[in-house]
Amino acid sequence: MCTGGCAKCLGGTLIPLTVFGILANILLFFPGGKVIDNNEHLSEEVWFFGGILGSGFLMIFPVLVFLGLKNNDCCGCCGNERCGKRFAMFTSTIFAVIGFLGAGYSFVISAISINKGSKCLMDNSTWGYPFHDGDHLNDKALWSKCREPENVVSWNLTLFSILLIIAVFQMLLCTIQVVNGLLGTLCGDCRCCGCCRQAENQDGGIRYSPVRAASHNNTETANYKTNSYHSEPWESWPSGSSTTGRKEEEH
């Protein structure tokens, strides 16, 4: 697969991950699926917007860049057909790093929250964090320490785990694009070769044939069916004529 096509595939895969990350973070504002009266009773990590900012907003720009790489114009850079594409691929590596950092931010926030546990109303009628060093992960009986909101421990644990998994996949995909982008920068895109000539064919109406000219006056390349006397499109030549015959007629 060409580097541009690979980037487009990665960008398409990142779209649902980004959407799910944003939705998971939004649901964290409704512990147990219910609206709480005081926002101060939410876990602190919810306000860091790991899914909205890290896996969401910072991932939008890499997605747009990756999706646009396959159709990026590779012509117009000092006459070099591949130069424009190489620059685009190099730019994609920068956005891939930005996406990796955003996903890494979401990963760290999620990991901290999973280990720390949920903020809830404890047995002493105060709001706080009843768990320590992730002990609630191995002993489900400790979840009873949280009186309110109902099911807040399982709710937060599930959503932050989803954000953690999403962040891992996003970091993996961004890492792949960094490698893919560097390959595209160094080697170019395999579909870039000849794109400018194809554009010229469409604009100028000139078709090229792999027929080599038969005379020394003809162009010594296999890509053109024209000679020093004629520059008109070959399809306009009379049927059965050849470059040699045209030269003899004019002599």
Side-chain angles (χ1 to χ4, degrees):
M1 180 183 292
C2 298
T3 54
C6 178
K8 184 176 182 179
C9 180
L10 294 175
T13 307
L14 284 171
I15 292 178
L17 294 176
T18 301
V19 173
F20 290 146
I22 294 175
L23 291 177
N25 200 152
I26 293 176
L27 291 175
L28 285 170
F29 287 94
F30 306 94
K34 300 178 181 179
V35 179
I36 61 175
D37 298 330
N38 192 344
N39 289 335
E40 293 182 357
H41 296 163
L42 290 172
S43 299
E44 294 179 354
E45 292 73 22
V46 176
W47 295 102
F48 291 155
F49 301 105
I52 296 177
L53 179 61
S55 293
F57 181 76
L58 290 179
M59 198 62 61
I60 293 177
F61 298 104
V63 168
L64 295 177
V65 172
F66 297 170
L67 291 177
L69 280 177
K70 187 175 182 180
N71 299 324
N72 186 71
D73 183 17
C74 59
C75 309
C77 183
C78 301
N80 191 327
E81 297 176 0
R82 298 186 174 220
C83 180
K85 196 71 171 182
R86 291 174 188 268
F87 179 77
M89 294 303 298
F90 174 74
T91 304
S92 72
T93 61
I94 299 177
F95 282 94
V97 172
I98 294 176
F100 182 90
L101 294 177
Y105 173 77
S106 178
F107 177 88
V108 172
I109 296 301
S110 300
I112 292 176
S113 180
I114 291 174
N115 183 72
K116 186 177 181 180
S118 305
K119 187 176 184 179
C120 60
L121 180 64
M122 299 181 291
D123 293 334
N124 56 4
S125 298
T126 60
W127 289 83
Y129 297 90
F131 311 122
H132 304 281
D133 298 327
D135 54 356
H136 64 292
L137 299 176
N138 300 321
D139 189 358
K140 192 175 181 178
L142 296 176
W143 294 9
S144 60
K145 291 183 178 181
C146 282
R147 295 168 54 187
E148 293 182 6
E150 187 179 358
N151 299 323
V152 64
V153 179
S154 59
W155 182 269
N156 284 10
L157 182 60
T158 299
L159 291 176
F160 276 116
S161 297
I162 292 175
L163 286 175
L164 187 73
I165 295 173
I166 289 176
V168 171
F169 278 104
Q170 287 178 329
M171 287 190 294
L172 177 61
L173 294 175
C174 288
T175 302
I176 294 175
Q177 178 52 30
V178 169
V179 178
N180 180 58
L182 292 177
L183 290 176
T185 302
L186 297 175
C187 305
D189 192 282
C190 62
R191 293 186 179 180
C192 185
C193 182
C195 66
C196 297
R197 289 183 179 177
Q198 293 175 2
E200 290 176 358
N201 296 347
Q202 296 175 357
D203 295 338
I206 299 178
R207 300 181 181 177
Y208 302 117
S209 171
V211 178
R212 183 174 298 275
S215 171
H216 67 278
N217 288 328
N218 293 353
T219 305
E220 294 295 328
T221 63
N223 294 327
Y224 302 90
K225 191 177 180 182
T226 184
N227 57 30
S228 59
Y229 298 98
H230 303 280
S231 59
E232 60 184 347
W234 68 271
E235 64 266 27
S236 64
W237 294 1
S239 176
S241 63
S242 63
T243 56
T244 305
R246 297 286 291 185
K247 187 185 73 171
E248 291 175 355
E249 289 177 5
E250 297 203 2
H251 280 293

